[in-house]
Amino acid sequence: CSKNTVDSEVMMSIAKNADYKVTTNLIEADYIVINTCSFINDAKEESIDAIIEIGELKSEYPNKKIIVTGCLAQRYHSELLKEMPEVDAILGTGDVDQLIEILKTIDGGKRAVEIEGVDKEYYELADRSEFVNSHIAYVKIAEGCDNRCSYCIIPKLRGKFRSRRIEDIRNEVESLVENGVKEVILIAQDTSRYGKDLYGRYALPELLDSLNTIEGIKWIRILYIYPDCFTDELIDGIARNDKVANYVDIPIQHISNRILKRMNRHTNREQIESLVKKLRARMSDIQIRTTLIAGFPGETDEDFDELKAFVKEARFDKLGVFAYSHEEDTPSYKLDGQVDEEIKLERRDEIMEIQMKISLENSEKKVDNIYEVIIDEIVEEEELYIGRSYMDAPDIDGVIFFNSNQKYEVGDSVKVKILEAMEYDLKGEIVDESTK
């Protein structure tokens, strides 16, 4: 989770400022912080497995202290303390600023719990730049969420929507860029709502205008733009700022108006279709990513057929599908019409098969085109470079492979001509020198 990545970097900065040494060596560490997720069941299981695995170290190293933070800690703090005696402390999602106090408490031999600050303002004193070990940095522009989608637990775990000030975000980005960051990725639970709570207006276009003037940034990318607040002003803000990638991540979740209403989404099919048309009309090279949920309670065969037809018609550049996760403490947990797990998975896979064909056809259109590519990874023994163009976000989208006997570094930019297309990835060759 990119939001948890930011929180982890903030905690590392807090620890360093308090004269603690940060290490990734579990044997060397006196305190081990496990930052967890619990958005869907798979994430919960992964988080619990990590706690159990780290907890086993205590049998050999009994003086180690384990601090569990993040969404699982916020959601299940009582259960964790009761069922996992190896856990020494619980730190809630809004209480990362209490990390040092927590460490002092458990040093005194007491278990500690701090989960009260879910609606706190964002912690602005941490300098993450030293701990962003890459040319890519996620920047959280807001915390929390007010949307109350019926399937989502996030408002309970992260609190109400709280925007950061433009000047604070700009200061952070300037610091990151000074330390080598080339690509800044703006994140929040819902980036389109940025500024509404703070300034009384949707201020994401203003933020983009400000960040676009920072020297040294290669790309500014925006994720999690909800469709209901995706204004014409935001479309213009993306189009007019040359450093803002013509790439948008718009989680629509479904297209059936009946299912959207059951999801408590604040949009409908007509608005979604209009937005996609506007984006493509304003920016011919726009890349649109979306996510869908298959098997939501009450989803009929007709609803699913409508979704499949829309995916074929819309031809999104990037698309991910989740099988609906039946999460307690959410309104959808008690809805009638729960779909069998097997059917949910079948529907997810069917949508992905449709999208795979679309993705291959889209990729084939890129052959012979030349793109600026930022290098993410190097396999030196094979003289192989792995990078991305503006069309792909790190970790979730495809990559571009190319070979070269020239020496480049991670974060360098080169021009690459596409020679071969695969479903999600591309292969190419260098056509000019590094633009670094």
Side-chain angles (χ1 to χ4, degrees):
C1 172
S2 57
K3 304 171 193 72
N4 263 6
T5 296
V6 172
D7 292 343
S8 294
E9 291 164 355
V10 167
M11 284 188 283
M12 286 189 283
S13 174
I14 291 171
K16 180 177 180 293
N17 289 341
D19 295 324
Y20 287 84
K21 177 185 174 185
V22 176
T23 179
T24 57
N25 187 322
L26 295 177
I27 304 303
E28 179 183 303
D30 297 311
Y31 311 92
I32 300 174
V33 180
I34 306 172
N35 197 359
T36 62
C37 180
S38 69
F39 181 58
I40 59 176
N41 190 62
D42 287 349
K44 285 189 290 187
E45 291 181 358
E46 185 177 348
S47 296
I48 291 169
D49 288 345
I51 297 169
I52 293 172
E53 180 181 349
I54 299 301
E56 290 174 352
L57 276 176
K58 278 196 147 186
S59 60
E60 189 173 354
Y61 303 95
N63 291 328
K64 289 188 182 297
K65 305 295 186 182
I66 297 177
I67 300 95
V68 179
T69 186
C71 290
L72 186 80
Q74 185 74 40
R75 187 174 181 181
Y76 296 112
H77 53 275
S78 298
E79 292 87 341
L80 287 171
L81 290 173
K82 180 180 179 182
E83 302 295 335
M84 306 187 106
E86 61 269 34
V87 173
D88 297 284
I90 300 289
L91 193 62
T93 57
D95 297 293
V96 296
D97 57 323
Q98 297 299 307
L99 175 63
I100 304 306
E101 292 303 315
I102 284 281
L103 298 184
K104 291 177 180 178
T105 299
I106 59 179
D107 277 344
K110 298 179 180 179
R111 296 179 96 183
V113 180
E114 184 65 56
I115 56 162
E116 300 302 321
V118 72
D119 284 325
K120 283 182 181 176
E121 289 187 15
Y122 185 81
Y123 187 73
E124 294 287 357
L125 300 181
D127 179 9
R128 299 191 296 125
S129 57
E130 181 178 340
F131 301 101
V132 177
N133 300 317
S134 173
H135 56 293
I136 303 163
Y138 293 93
V139 174
K140 196 183 291 189
I141 65 173
E143 181 61 278
C145 189
D146 294 337
N147 288 329
R148 304 286 174 179
C149 300
S150 65
Y151 52 81
C152 185
I153 193 70
I154 292 298
K156 292 183 179 180
L157 304 182
R158 292 280 179 176
K160 64 184 180 182
F161 189 83
R162 291 104 66 204
S163 299
R164 298 173 62 193
R165 297 185 303 166
I166 289 176
E167 52 267 39
D168 291 333
I169 297 170
R170 182 185 172 94
N171 288 339
E172 180 176 33
V173 171
E174 286 177 334
S175 176
L176 291 166
V177 172
E178 286 173 4
N179 282 270
V181 167
K182 303 290 181 63
E183 179 177 2
V184 171
I185 304 175
L186 306 181
I187 58 172
Q189 300 299 335
D190 177 1
T191 51
S192 61
R193 273 180 171 72
Y194 171 74
K196 186 66 173 177
D197 59 311
L198 190 60
Y199 302 115
R201 62 185 182 279
Y202 299 123
L204 186 52
E206 296 173 46
L207 177 62
L208 297 179
D209 290 342
S210 176
L211 299 182
N212 197 70
T213 64
I214 298 175
E215 292 186 12
I217 294 182
K218 178 68 67 175
W219 292 327
I220 300 166
R221 192 182 300 276
I222 319 166
L223 301 184
Y224 316 124
I225 315 173
Y226 277 47
D228 46 308
C229 296
F230 204 133
T231 63
D232 292 346
E233 290 76 16
L234 179 53
I235 295 175
D236 289 339
I238 295 169
R240 69 172 172 259
N241 285 299
D242 62 311
K243 295 177 183 178
V244 178
N246 286 357
Y247 173 107
V248 291
D249 169 49
I250 312 171
I252 65 170
Q253 309 304 13
H254 216 281
I255 201 60
S256 161
N257 285 338
R258 192 179 70 84
I259 296 300
L260 288 169
K261 186 174 182 179
R262 285 173 70 89
M263 289 178 167
N264 197 35
R265 301 286 288 183
H266 309 296
T267 189
N268 57 44
R269 175 174 185 145
E270 294 71 29
Q271 292 169 336
I272 292 169
E273 289 177 324
S274 174
L275 175 59
V276 171
K277 288 177 181 177
K278 283 181 180 180
L279 285 164
R280 288 174 170 163
R282 184 71 170 84
M283 292 166 278
S284 60
D285 62 344
I286 190 73
Q287 298 288 299
I288 304 178
R289 156 172 275 283
T290 195
T291 50
L292 304 172
I293 295 175
F296 189 80
E299 183 186 65
T300 63
D301 289 342
E302 290 76 19
D303 293 319
F304 183 62
D305 287 342
E306 182 180 356
L307 183 60
K308 287 191 297 182
F310 176 71
V311 169
K312 293 176 182 177
E313 174 191 332
R315 299 184 65 82
F316 288 104
D317 302 281
K318 325 285 178 183
L319 184 147
V321 187
F322 295 92
Y324 167 73
S325 184
H326 194 208
E327 294 296 318
E328 57 188 352
D329 300 325
T330 63
S332 65
Y333 188 80
K334 297 180 180 179
L335 285 178
D336 57 4
Q338 297 289 331
V339 178
D340 289 344
E341 190 68 25
E342 184 177 345
I343 293 175
K344 289 190 286 188
L345 296 175
E346 287 175 356
R347 289 178 177 178
R348 178 199 64 187
D349 293 346
E350 193 171 345
I351 293 287
M352 286 309 302
E353 285 181 14
I354 294 170
Q355 181 61 26
M356 184 180 294
K357 181 179 178 182
I358 293 170
S359 181
L360 178 58
E361 292 169 353
N362 287 342
S363 293
E364 288 171 341
K365 294 176 183 177
K366 299 179 176 79
V367 172
D368 293 330
N369 289 352
I370 296 173
Y371 298 100
E372 184 173 11
V373 172
I374 193 166
I375 296 172
D376 291 336
E377 186 179 347
I378 303 171
V379 185
E380 292 186 0
E381 60 271 20
E382 300 178 25
E383 295 183 336
L384 175 66
Y385 292 88
I386 304 171
R388 292 170 296 108
S389 72
Y390 81 93
M391 299 180 292
D392 296 287
D395 299 326
I396 56 175
D397 294 329
V399 297
I400 297 176
F401 299 97
F402 62 93
N403 292 95
S404 177
N405 55 16
Q406 300 181 60
K407 296 299 182 184
Y408 300 109
E409 296 181 359
V410 168
D412 286 350
S413 295
V414 294
K415 294 290 181 65
V416 175
K417 181 179 180 179
I418 304 304
L419 303 178
E420 182 182 345
M422 296 170 280
E423 283 90 349
Y424 302 111
D425 302 323
L426 302 167
K427 293 182 180 179
E429 63 179 4
I430 293 271
V431 295
D432 77 342
E433 295 294 325
S434 170
T435 58
K436 295 191 179 182

